[in-house]
Amino acid sequence: AEINLEQKFQEKIDNELRIEPKDWMPEKYRQTLIRQISQHAHSEIIGMLPEGNWITRAPSLRRKAVLLAKVQDEAGHGLYLYSAAETLGISRDKMYSQLHSGEAKYSSIFNYPTITWADMGAIGWLVDGAAIMNQVPLCRASYGPYSRAMVRVCKEESFHQRQGYEIMLTLSKGSSVQKKMAQDALNRWWWPSIMMFGPTDDASPNSIQSMKWKIKRFSNDELRQKFVDVTVEQAKILGLTIPDKDLKWNEERGHYDFGEINWDEFWNVVKGNGPCNKERLETRKKAWEEGEWVREAAQAHAEKRKAKKEA
Ligand code: FAQ
């Protein structure tokens, strides 16, 4: 009977039908989604920290309002994603405890420091740009709640990408010091950004199954290549140089060739030893502990209201 159920499940996916929370699904599909969606949620929440660092120091009221809105959007994305993961039977408390204990992963990119204001530009342009490239196909992921969450997330991400690109454009047309600052940010964020897509296809243990289940629609390398191809053109408009001497248009492939990624650096960051891993987790844990009274007060308030309604 299990085999039959699994066949029907795969047929549904092959026919582009969505899987919904109450539908039968193989345990491994459920676990893969919990893993990916919770990692994605944690990335949004931890991802607020590098930019949060600049809210109080944004160079104008307009920049401050925009950055504040962007970081709030990221909180919202984290919350939709936790909700989507909860439909698979894991509790939010469990996901938080997996994050706080260091057991759960989140995107490697958020373990790098934000040293200058230009980093806000580079993050919006490159990190949100990479996120969009990866997430637009996820709007068609086979699991309904995940795919629907992604539609709104992607709309907001495209605003984020533009605000970052606009910062880069302003700096790159500014004084020589500003242009230098923009180039320095690109130098530091380029390689970590292309690492965001994950290991190469032959080193990606989850890709084949996730593509068969139509959670992923493109492989890590395919998405990385698309990102490189569009971003090189955007760098030209900025008049900035991508820090890769092997970057070259390949007429035959119709794509840009690019240099070797430092995979030792990538795995080192993923394993918890990047420049800011410890600081990021400590900040999150502190926020969680210091927010305990808020959670307790909200709970007490909800209980009072419920008692009143019942009375
Ligand atoms: N960092 O077999 P695969 C954002 C892990 S965007 C850390 O290829 P998979 C928006 C991977 O988990 C960032 N770990 O895995 C924003 C797996 O380990 P596991 C978040 C990574 O899942 C912008 C192992 O390596 N976006 O937040 C990374 O098929 C600005 C083997 O890899 C998403 O999460 C990495 N970069 O493909 C917010 C998108 N790459 O779990 C604030 C959804 C791989 O087996 C500011 N996720 N690993 O122990 C995905 O599309 C996929 O999960 C991939 C990885 C493509 C990330």
Side-chain angles (χ1 to χ4, degrees):
E2 184 89 343
I3 293 173
N4 221 331
L5 283 169
E6 185 142 1
Q7 248 171 17
K8 283 211 174 111
F9 166 86
Q10 188 63 47
E11 269 168 28
K12 240 166 133 177
I13 289 179
D14 295 342
N15 291 324
E16 296 295 329
L17 294 171
R18 292 282 181 274
I19 306 300
E20 295 299 336
K22 288 182 177 164
D23 294 346
W24 184 89
M25 61 185 85
E27 196 46 33
K28 279 197 172 155
Y29 177 82
R30 185 186 298 279
Q31 291 311 325
T32 294
L33 281 166
I34 289 177
R35 176 182 66 77
Q36 177 166 329
I37 301 172
S38 67
Q39 285 177 7
H40 194 166
H42 299 326
S43 302
E44 298 282 355
I45 298 300
I46 297 278
M48 296 165 75
L49 300 175
E51 289 166 295
N53 184 34
W54 280 90
I55 291 172
T56 56
R57 293 176 288 163
S60 69
L61 183 60
R62 175 177 170 266
R63 292 292 186 201
K64 186 175 179 138
V66 172
L67 185 62
L68 197 56
K70 177 188 194 286
V71 174
Q72 284 176 344
D73 287 350
E74 282 151 11
H77 298 174
L79 299 184
Y80 310 143
L81 286 162
Y82 283 127
S83 298
E86 281 178 314
T87 65
L88 292 155
I90 184 169
S91 73
R92 202 171 287 220
D93 278 349
K94 176 110 190 265
M95 290 185 269
Y96 286 145
S97 79
Q98 288 171 343
L99 174 65
H100 298 154
S101 71
E103 188 190 328
K105 290 191 171 73
Y106 59 84
S107 183
S108 51
I109 192 75
F110 303 116
N111 295 305
Y112 290 86
T114 44
I115 298 164
T116 72
W117 170 253
D119 290 359
M120 298 304 97
I123 289 181
W125 173 34
L126 302 172
V127 176
D128 287 276
I132 294 169
M133 204 51 96
N134 164 274
Q135 285 166 208
V136 165
L138 292 174
C139 297
R140 294 188 294 124
S142 57
Y143 188 57
Y146 191 32
S147 68
R148 289 188 290 271
M150 279 301 111
V151 174
R152 174 150 176 195
V153 168
C154 284
K155 285 183 185 161
E156 294 179 347
E157 297 291 24
S158 68
F159 154 67
H160 297 169
Q161 196 272 352
R162 277 152 196 245
Q163 71 85 37
Y165 193 72
E166 198 224 352
I167 292 174
M168 294 304 274
L169 203 55
T170 306
L171 291 174
S172 65
K173 286 186 175 153
S175 67
S176 66
V177 175
Q178 286 173 317
K179 188 163 181 187
K180 231 169 127 183
M181 200 196 278
Q183 180 64 53
D184 168 66
L186 171 57
N187 292 349
R188 285 180 292 105
W189 289 93
W190 174 254
W191 290 100
S193 297
I194 65 172
M195 289 176 194
M196 281 175 73
F197 295 94
T200 53
D201 294 349
D202 54 5
S204 162
N206 301 301
S207 280
I208 291 178
Q209 185 61 66
S210 288
M211 287 178 74
K212 190 167 170 233
W213 280 332
K214 298 191 181 173
I215 296 171
K216 288 167 98 163
R217 298 269 175 172
F218 297 95
S219 75
N220 298 357
D221 285 329
E222 284 169 335
L223 291 172
R224 186 171 10 247
Q225 182 71 63
K226 280 190 184 202
F227 175 75
V228 170
D229 290 346
V230 304
T231 310
V232 171
E233 301 306 322
Q234 294 167 352
K236 282 185 194 162
I237 296 168
L238 296 172
L240 298 177
T241 309
I242 289 179
D244 178 357
K245 60 177 174 24
D246 297 319
L247 191 69
K248 210 174 131 232
W249 179 251
N250 183 325
E251 192 65 55
E252 218 172 281
R253 291 201 310 123
H255 291 291
Y256 280 94
D257 288 337
F258 53 95
E260 181 68 31
I261 288 172
N262 183 343
W263 293 111
D264 289 341
E265 174 183 330
F266 172 75
W267 289 116
N268 196 44
V269 174
V270 172
K271 284 180 191 138
N273 305 315
C276 300
N277 294 60
K278 288 188 184 68
E279 183 188 327
R280 298 286 184 247
L281 269 191
E282 254 144 47
T283 307
R284 270 320 305 159
K285 277 193 281 194
K286 186 161 171 275
W288 177 252
E289 282 155 16
E290 289 179 354
E292 193 174 352
W293 70 272
V294 179
R295 294 191 297 278
E296 277 172 7
Q299 188 67 37
H301 180 66
E303 274 158 22
K304 259 192 208 162
R305 285 187 60 159
K306 192 170 164 242
K308 231 186 198 169
K309 228 178 170 180
E310 280 167 3

